[in-house]
């Protein structure tokens, strides 16, 4: 393959050098043809004047003609040797440059063919320091980054298929076992049996609904109905709606908010979905006797929230962002897991999460919804068993009055 590329590229490079060479030779020959006669006559005139040969003009003219012919032949011979040397140099340079150019291009073509065949681990070698790479080196770097992203996408696709199959297998096996027990009259046809089957069917339905929602938000097909929203009131309303679940598990839920917060231009239903997912995640990973606290206040920028949790009443009176944090005293998140908590089906504690019945994509949906509003979301934790904090920020609608 590399030989074929070189055979196609080397002639083109050689022809380009040859065209430049021919243009240079033509320009040089034309310049010599125009300037040599006048220069020769001028120098001959000066020589004859200095030698006092004015009386022997005939003989001088014949000698001058012979000298001019010899001089022109010498110039033509010099041009011929120069053209031959330039031709050989063009051949050598074109061969060298084509080899240097073709080698990385051929490597990228071969790697791209292997990637197209499903070998996503292929990479192109980069000679020298990547920070000082030339255009071809930067192209190879971009190619390697593209291959890495394709490998990650393929790994995510495979993991998604495996996770969906696993999540569907558990309720399906439960439903199938229950139905077989009912048909064989091993299980009693009691309300408890039917409720168990109904719960497993509900798990499957929630998973399918979440997958459908995730596909929409990831495809950018999400439509937002934007209007001014008072975020503190929305937080309190969602907390009140979920309060019964927290009381049933024995987990304390509290809300802290700043006063006179400006509104955000957002889709209220989507923000309810974000808060529900975050509060549900906190409840799922907090044991009985623990607590969950929701804070809502102004922050100067999303970067401020990454360094400290949103402190209601302790932040500047004015800012461009409103931050909402959900803090729990649950199992915590190890540092190695923090960059992945918003990935699809990612679980810090797999056995515990499956026992809770979560689909594993609620945080992924929350991230896409927040980003669709122009905000940011992230997770913080001091480690295993020390709780975690999920924070998201939304831009303030400066043109709207405070609500």
């Amino acid at each position: 393959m590399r030989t074929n590329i070189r055979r196609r590229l080397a002639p083109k490079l050689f022809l380009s050098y040859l065209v430049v060479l021919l243009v240079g030779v033509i320009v040089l020959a034309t310049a010599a043809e125009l300037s040599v006669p006048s220069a020769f006559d001028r120098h001959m005139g000066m020589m004859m004047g200095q030698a006092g040969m004015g009386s022997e003009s005939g003989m001088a003219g014949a000698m001058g003609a012979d000298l001019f012919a010899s001089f022109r032949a010498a110039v033509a011979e010099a041009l011929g040797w120069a053209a031959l040397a330039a031709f050989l140099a063009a051949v050598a340079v074109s061969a060298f440059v084509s080899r240097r150019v073709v080698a990385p291009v051929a490597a990228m073509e071969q790697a791209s063919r292997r990637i197209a065949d499903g070998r996503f681990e292929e990479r192109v070698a980069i000679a020298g320091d990547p920070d000082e790479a030339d255009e071809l080196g930067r192209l190879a770097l971009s190619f390697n980054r593209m291959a890495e992203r394709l490998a990650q996408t393929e790994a995510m696709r495979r993991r998604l298929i495996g996770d969906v199959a696993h999540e569907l297998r558990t309720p399906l096996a439960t439903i199938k076992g229950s139905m077989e027990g009912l048909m064989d009259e091993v299980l009693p046809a009691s309300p408890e049996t039917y409720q168990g089957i109904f719960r497993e069917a509900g798990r499957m339905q929630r998973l399918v609904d979440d997958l459908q929602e995730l596909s929409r938000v990831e495809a950018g097909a999400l439509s937002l109905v934007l209007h001014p929203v008072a975020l503190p009131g929305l937080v309190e309303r969602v907390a009140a709606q979920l309060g019964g679940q927290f009381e049933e598990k024995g987990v304390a839920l509290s809300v802290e908010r700043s006063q006179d917060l400006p509104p955000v231009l957002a889709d209220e239903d989507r923000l309810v979905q974000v808060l529900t997912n975050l509060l549900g995640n906190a409840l799922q990973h907090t044991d009985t006797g623990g607590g969950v606290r929701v804070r809502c206040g102004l922050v100067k920028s999303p970067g401020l929230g990454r360094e400290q949790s949103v402190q209601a009443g302790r932040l500047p009176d004015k800012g461009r962002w409103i931050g909402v944090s959900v803090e729990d005293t649950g199992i915590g998140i190890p540092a190695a897991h923090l960059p992945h908590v918003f990935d699809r089906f990612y679980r810090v504690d797999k056995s515990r999460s499956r026992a809770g019945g979560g689909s594993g994509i609620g945080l992924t949906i929350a991230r896409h919804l927040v980003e669709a509003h122009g905000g940011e979301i992230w997770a913080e934790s001091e480690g295993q068993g020390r709780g975690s904090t999920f924070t998201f920020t939304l831009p303030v609608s400066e043109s709207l009055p405070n609500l």
Side-chain angles (χ1 to χ4, degrees):
M1 181 61 63
R2 182 179 299 180
T3 303
N4 293 335
I5 295 178
R6 185 181 295 116
R7 287 176 180 175
R8 292 194 299 267
L9 184 58
K12 294 180 181 179
L13 291 174
F14 173 71
L15 289 176
S16 65
Y17 296 139
L18 187 59
V19 169
V20 175
L21 173 64
L22 291 177
V23 171
V25 170
I26 292 174
V27 171
L28 180 60
T30 303
E33 184 67 24
L34 295 176
S35 62
V36 164
S38 59
F40 182 81
D41 291 341
R42 185 170 60 255
H43 286 289
M44 286 297 297
M46 293 174 60
M47 291 175 60
M48 287 188 298
Q50 293 175 357
M53 298 176 62
S55 59
E56 302 178 358
S57 59
M59 183 177 62
M63 291 178 60
D66 292 337
L67 287 175
F68 178 72
S70 300
F71 181 73
R72 172 172 284 182
V75 170
E77 183 178 1
L79 287 175
W81 283 109
L84 178 61
F87 177 81
L88 295 176
V91 172
V93 170
S94 63
F96 174 76
V97 173
S98 63
R99 184 182 298 273
R100 294 293 299 272
V101 172
V102 165
V105 173
M108 281 185 280
E109 182 180 9
Q110 294 175 2
S112 65
R113 289 178 180 271
R114 289 190 286 269
I115 290 175
D117 293 334
R119 298 167 59 182
F120 296 99
E121 72 281 359
E122 288 293 330
R123 299 292 185 272
V124 178
I126 301 174
D129 187 1
D131 296 332
E132 299 179 358
D134 56 6
E135 287 78 4
L136 286 174
R138 290 195 294 271
L139 178 60
L141 285 173
S142 299
F143 182 89
N144 288 341
R145 284 195 292 267
M146 179 197 68
E148 184 176 357
R149 293 295 297 273
L150 287 175
Q152 293 175 355
T153 301
E154 178 64 15
M156 291 178 61
R157 184 187 67 83
R158 293 177 179 176
R159 187 171 68 245
L160 174 62
I161 294 174
D163 289 337
V164 170
H166 180 87
E167 294 294 334
L168 290 175
R169 186 182 298 115
T170 301
L172 280 174
T174 302
I175 293 174
K176 182 180 179 181
S178 299
M179 295 304 297
E180 288 178 350
L182 288 172
M183 288 187 296
D184 296 338
E185 298 183 355
V186 176
L187 290 178
S190 62
E192 290 78 10
T193 302
Y194 292 120
Q195 287 176 2
I197 297 175
F198 182 78
R199 283 195 299 269
E200 295 302 323
R203 286 183 57 187
M204 293 180 59
Q205 182 64 49
R206 287 194 299 272
L207 177 60
V208 172
D209 292 341
D210 288 344
L211 287 173
Q212 184 178 16
E213 184 73 12
L214 179 62
S215 65
R216 291 179 58 198
V217 297
E218 288 188 337
L222 186 67
S223 59
L224 300 177
V225 181
L226 302 178
H227 60 275
V229 176
L231 199 53
L234 184 65
V235 170
E236 292 178 345
R237 176 154 53 89
V238 174
Q241 292 174 352
L242 300 178
Q245 299 180 26
F246 282 82
E247 292 178 2
E248 182 180 354
K249 189 175 180 180
V251 176
L253 175 63
S254 62
V255 177
E256 298 180 10
R257 51 164 291 185
S258 299
Q259 300 296 325
D260 299 327
L261 291 178
V264 295
L265 193 62
D267 188 320
E268 185 173 347
D269 293 335
R270 298 301 183 180
L271 291 187
V272 168
Q273 189 175 358
V274 172
L275 290 168
T276 302
N277 287 342
L278 294 181
L279 287 172
N281 179 76
L283 176 62
Q284 181 180 349
H285 295 91
T286 303
D287 293 331
T288 300
V292 175
R293 177 169 53 184
V294 185
R295 296 186 176 188
C296 183
L298 283 169
V299 295
K300 288 185 177 180
S301 67
L304 179 63
R306 296 184 185 275
E307 301 174 358
Q308 64 185 55
S309 299
V310 179
Q311 301 290 331
R314 298 183 183 178
L315 293 173
D317 293 334
K318 294 183 179 181
R320 296 186 59 251
W321 303 81
I322 290 183
V324 178
S325 66
V326 179
E327 307 173 16
D328 63 66
T329 59
I331 63 174
I333 305 173
H337 294 269
L338 282 174
H340 306 288
V341 294
F342 294 100
D343 294 348
R344 293 175 293 187
F345 293 105
Y346 192 86
R347 302 176 189 272
V348 176
D349 187 345
K350 295 180 173 56
S351 60
R352 185 185 185 105
S353 296
R354 285 190 170 84
S359 65
I361 56 178
L363 292 179
T364 308
I365 295 175
R367 182 191 65 184
H368 284 285
L369 291 177
V370 170
E371 291 176 351
H373 284 84
E376 294 186 18
I377 185 170
W378 63 92
E380 298 171 290
S381 178
E382 296 182 0
Q384 191 76 27
R386 306 186 65 178
S388 58
T389 302
F390 287 82
T391 304
F392 70 90
T393 57
L394 296 174
V396 171
S397 300
E398 301 289 354
S399 60
L400 300 174
N402 289 359
L403 297 178

